[in-house]
């Protein structure tokens, strides 16, 4: 297993503790040739970028924090999830096992531990953990992934279908099924057919989200908007995560009108993340609606923002002020006297 990750991330020939300083002009080429290296910091002296191996970064930056929370289940859980989001799931096996051992309520720790074990393709330990679960339906998707890893594609497909009937919007299960289908049944065409079938479930909104992204990748904006509308109609109270992904996908395609039209009516500053409000302000800014953008920033400012969020609000206010002053200067310059 360790050899697999060495091959995948390309750090077998690198010394774990070495820090590599790369000049800015060489960064693109270096990253292309060394995909397993982690961008660690910027050298203040010469502006070069410092890189480390994944293992070196884990030992220097991630492991000290994990050790600090080794006896604190809640903080350890937060640390593990953040590292998984940052792409270090393959380095979280020991921490996830510790969290699983610490916790009295086993459902979420089991879910997290199995996710890490299956990502690392640790079949033996995943089988042991699954054998200790009493509610097999809660881990049906994990059983599907384990069955897939063991090479039983037919039963894996049946288990994935059963799992997504039980929990049609489980992101990990759907992601696994998508990859499995792409590998075994016709690539993206097979994946699209799978999503269309799953979307027939009246409770399945995430399938529409994935279909919308596929349409955007082909610049089929009207079809994407149709799928997003179906997603929102099925998801009665979409989370910050769902709305932020929707906003990001539309924003990356320059669909700022649609960001405001679809997100603004659902946005609740007391319930949703700062980033969602920021995306609405950004969309208004990009459309030249500076007063609207300022209004959103006022709402964010009145919602007890963190220090980092205060800096972001100040940044956008500065950007808006600069654009508004620039517009006034253009208007003045365009006046012809005499």
């Amino acid at each position: 297993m360790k050899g697999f990750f060495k091959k995948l991330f390309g750090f077998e020939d690198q010394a774990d503790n070495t820090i590599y300083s790369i000049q800015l002009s060489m960064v693109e080429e270096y990253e292309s040739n060394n995909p397993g290296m982690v961008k660690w910091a910027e050298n203040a002296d010469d502006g070069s970028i410092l890189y480390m191996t994944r293992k070196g970064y884990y030992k220097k930056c991630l492991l000290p924090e994990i050790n600090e929370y080794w006896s604190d289940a809640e903080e350890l859980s937060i640390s593990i999830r953040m590292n998984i989001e940052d792409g270090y799931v393959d380095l979280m096996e020991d921490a996830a096992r510790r969290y699983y051992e610490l916790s009295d309520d086993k459902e979420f720790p089991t879910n997290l531990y199995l996710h890490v074990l299956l990502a690392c393709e640790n079949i033996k330990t995943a089988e042991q953990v699954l054998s200790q679960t009493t509610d097999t339906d809660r881990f049906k998707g994990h059983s599907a992934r384990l069955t897939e890893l063991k090479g039983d594609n037919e039963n894996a497909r049946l288990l994935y279908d059963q799992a997504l009937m039980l929990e049609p919007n489980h992101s990990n299960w759907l992601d696994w099924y998508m990859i499995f289908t792409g590998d075994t049944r016709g690539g993206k065409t097979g994946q699209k057919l799978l999503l269309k079938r799953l979307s027939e479930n009246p409770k399945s909104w995430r399938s529409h989200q994935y279909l919308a992204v596929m349409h955007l990748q082909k610049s089929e904006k009207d079809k994407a908007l149709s799928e997003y509308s179906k997603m929102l109609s099925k998801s009665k109270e979409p989370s910050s995560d769902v709305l932020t992904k929707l906003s990001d996908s539309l924003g990356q395609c320059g669909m700022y009108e649609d960001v405001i039209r679809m997100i603004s009516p659902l946005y609740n500053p007391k319930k949703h993340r700062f980033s969602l409000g920021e995306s609405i302000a950004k969309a208004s800014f990009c459309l030249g609606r500076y007063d609207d953008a300022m209004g959103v920033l006022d709402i964010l400012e009145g919602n007890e923002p963190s220090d980092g969020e205060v800096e972001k609000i100040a940044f956008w206010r500065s950007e808006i002020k600069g654009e508004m002053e620039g517009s006034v200067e253009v208007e003045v310059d365009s006046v012809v006297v005499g």
Side-chain angles (χ1 to χ4, degrees), residues 42-318:
E42 180 178 333
N43 189 333
D45 293 332
D46 60 7
S48 62
I49 306 299
L50 304 180
Y51 291 84
M52 302 179 70
T53 65
R54 289 172 64 81
K55 278 191 173 182
Y57 182 75
Y58 172 74
K59 291 176 181 178
K60 185 175 182 65
C61 303
L62 305 185
L63 187 58
E65 180 181 272
I66 289 171
N67 286 337
E68 181 181 350
Y69 301 137
W70 198 247
S71 298
D72 186 331
E74 183 177 354
E75 291 296 333
L76 185 58
S77 166
I78 293 171
S79 179
I80 293 169
R81 283 179 286 163
M82 289 179 63
N83 286 320
I84 289 175
E85 288 179 8
D86 289 340
Y88 299 106
V89 63
D90 57 299
L91 301 174
M92 291 296 109
E93 191 169 337
D94 289 343
R97 181 180 65 251
R98 174 61 175 170
Y99 173 53
Y100 174 75
E101 293 169 348
L102 281 175
S103 304
D104 295 324
D105 180 3
K106 288 296 185 186
E107 183 174 324
F108 182 76
T110 299
N111 196 317
L112 184 62
Y113 189 26
L114 281 172
H115 175 74
V116 173
L117 290 171
L118 293 169
C120 296
E121 300 186 10
N122 188 336
I123 294 174
K124 182 178 179 180
T125 306
E127 281 184 315
Q128 292 172 350
V129 174
L130 272 172
S131 69
Q132 297 172 27
T133 60
T134 54
D135 186 353
T136 55
D137 285 348
R138 299 295 296 169
F139 305 100
K140 184 74 74 175
H142 298 82
S143 295
R145 172 63 176 154
L146 178 61
T147 303
E148 175 195 344
L149 289 174
K150 293 167 71 175
D152 187 350
N153 288 352
E154 183 176 349
N155 281 320
R157 189 170 290 108
L158 291 172
L159 286 169
Y160 276 128
D161 280 333
Q162 293 171 11
L164 288 166
M165 282 297 294
L166 293 167
E167 294 192 44
N169 302 303
H170 195 299
S171 59
N172 288 334
W173 295 359
L174 183 54
D175 287 346
W176 289 336
Y177 200 5
M178 284 280 287
I179 295 170
F180 172 67
T181 300
D183 289 343
T184 60
R185 287 199 169 180
K188 286 190 176 294
T189 300
Q191 291 175 333
K192 188 173 183 179
L193 291 172
L194 169 66
L195 290 172
K196 284 186 174 294
R197 177 168 64 82
L198 295 175
S199 71
E200 295 173 0
N201 184 334
K203 295 182 180 180
S204 175
W205 54 261
R206 196 177 291 276
S207 56
H208 294 290
Q209 180 187 32
Y210 284 30
L211 282 167
V213 172
M214 293 181 82
H215 285 307
L216 286 178
Q217 289 171 345
K218 297 173 68 175
S219 298
E220 298 171 343
K221 295 183 179 180
D222 289 342
K223 291 181 179 180
L225 290 174
S226 175
E227 294 295 341
Y228 277 132
S229 295
K230 292 174 185 177
M231 177 193 80
L232 293 176
S233 69
K234 287 185 177 182
S235 178
K236 295 180 180 179
E237 294 186 1
S239 66
S240 290
D241 180 57
V242 171
L243 292 177
T244 299
K245 287 180 179 177
L246 166 56
S247 175
D248 289 347
S249 295
L250 295 176
Q252 287 169 6
C253 296
M255 300 167 67
Y256 301 117
E257 288 278 8
D258 296 299
V259 170
I260 294 172
R261 178 178 62 84
M262 302 187 84
I263 303 295
S264 293
L266 301 172
Y267 173 60
N268 182 340
K270 298 295 183 182
K271 175 183 175 182
H272 295 128
R273 294 175 191 160
F274 174 91
S275 58
L276 188 60
E278 184 185 18
S279 70
I280 298 172
K282 179 181 178 180
S284 298
F285 170 80
C286 291
L287 291 169
R289 300 173 186 172
Y290 304 129
D291 289 340
D292 291 347
M294 282 292 197
V296 177
L297 295 176
D298 288 341
I299 293 173
L300 292 173
E301 197 165 43
N303 201 37
E304 300 181 0
S306 67
D307 291 343
E309 291 166 351
V310 168
E311 291 180 4
K312 290 181 179 180
I313 291 171
F315 166 80
W316 283 114
R317 288 196 188 282
S318 175

